Amino acid sequence: MARPRTPLLSRERIVAAALRLIDDEGSEALSTRRLAAELSVSGPSLYNHFATKDELLDAVVDSVIGEVDLSMFDGDGTPWPQALRDWARSYRAALAAHPNIVPVLAQGPGRRPNALRLADAVFGHLVEAGWPRGQATRIGASMRYFVTGSALASFAAGFPADAEVYDAADYPHLGEAHRLAGHRGAVDEGAFETGLEALLDGLGLRFERLAARSQGA
């Protein structure tokens, strides 16, 4: 029997093609017709694997979440601040590699298995470290908001590179702002790290207060 000209269709192959399309052109470019053309198959064949576009988008988002390292939560004794730091950096790296998927991802974990595993790992580690369950839930949410927010857009790229925009009479402190766009990576990475450390420092102080109250009880 002759071998098929194209690989057999699978959920993994569909998800990978959809992610490439979203990476290149944004989520609005994703359609059954376009994806079928990319895969050299008929449109209806996709519905054997995904009933709706939303179901496919969920799978694509979950594949990106699957790139996030969770090994720091494996119970090897990593202190919770370092675990959160390492996880946040890995999470941001995954989103930075696929920025067009971030607006979809920001809607929440839903029924996505990798997203639920991520939430379970973060929550479980914090509770085991001594955080009250309610606090652990809020910390996980705060970290997620921070990371996804940092991946939504570039701060530096939002400043025009035209020096004439920044008239000293109107913007006396923005005389060097036209240089920001040329240092986009460094500015955005520095902003992320500054915010991450500030967030962890604040959580550290809160954890100390919780411990002190517990000892005084």
Side-chain angles (χ1 to χ4, degrees):
M1 179 182 295
R3 299 179 67 181
R5 294 181 180 178
T6 58
L8 295 175
L9 203 58
S10 65
R11 286 178 65 92
E12 292 75 18
R13 186 170 169 237
I14 294 170
V15 167
L19 181 56
R20 286 194 301 271
L21 185 58
I22 292 171
D23 283 345
D24 291 342
E25 302 181 36
S27 59
E28 65 279 357
L30 182 63
S31 68
T32 301
R33 178 180 298 179
R34 182 70 186 280
L35 187 56
E38 293 286 329
L39 291 165
S40 300
V41 299
S42 64
S45 64
L46 298 176
Y47 292 111
N48 293 326
H49 300 274
F50 296 99
T52 65
K53 178 180 175 180
D54 285 343
E55 183 183 335
L56 173 57
L57 272 174
D58 268 354
V60 173
V61 169
D62 209 44
S63 73
V64 173
I65 296 299
E67 298 176 12
V68 181
D69 182 16
L70 298 178
S71 63
M72 65 288 297
F73 301 124
D74 284 347
D76 61 354
T78 303
W80 67 264
Q82 187 60 48
L84 289 182
R85 181 181 291 107
D86 292 343
W87 165 65
R89 288 171 175 165
S90 177
Y91 196 5
R92 181 173 181 267
L95 301 191
H98 309 285
N100 289 335
I101 205 68
V102 176
V104 183
L105 177 148
Q107 296 173 6
R111 297 175 180 269
R112 303 163 187 156
N114 287 328
L116 291 173
R117 274 190 284 273
L118 184 154
D120 180 77
V122 174
F123 177 79
H125 192 84
L126 290 170
V127 170
E128 289 172 5
W131 283 98
R133 295 173 66 87
Q135 293 272 13
T137 298
R138 290 190 284 274
I139 291 169
S142 297
M143 294 293 295
R144 180 172 167 273
Y145 297 156
F146 172 68
V147 174
T148 54
S150 74
L152 278 173
S154 166
F155 174 81
F159 287 85
D162 182 0
E164 294 184 1
V165 170
Y166 308 99
D167 189 303
D170 295 322
Y171 315 109
H173 305 295
L174 296 181
E176 300 295 317
H178 63 285
R179 303 182 188 278
L180 287 173
H183 301 277
R184 173 176 174 173
V187 171
D188 292 341
E189 182 67 25
F192 172 77
E193 288 294 330
T194 298
L196 177 59
E197 293 305 321
L199 181 53
L200 292 174
D201 286 348
L203 289 174
L205 292 174
R206 172 167 290 195
F207 192 70
E208 290 176 4
R209 290 197 295 268
L210 285 171
R213 284 201 294 268
S214 177
Q215 292 173 1

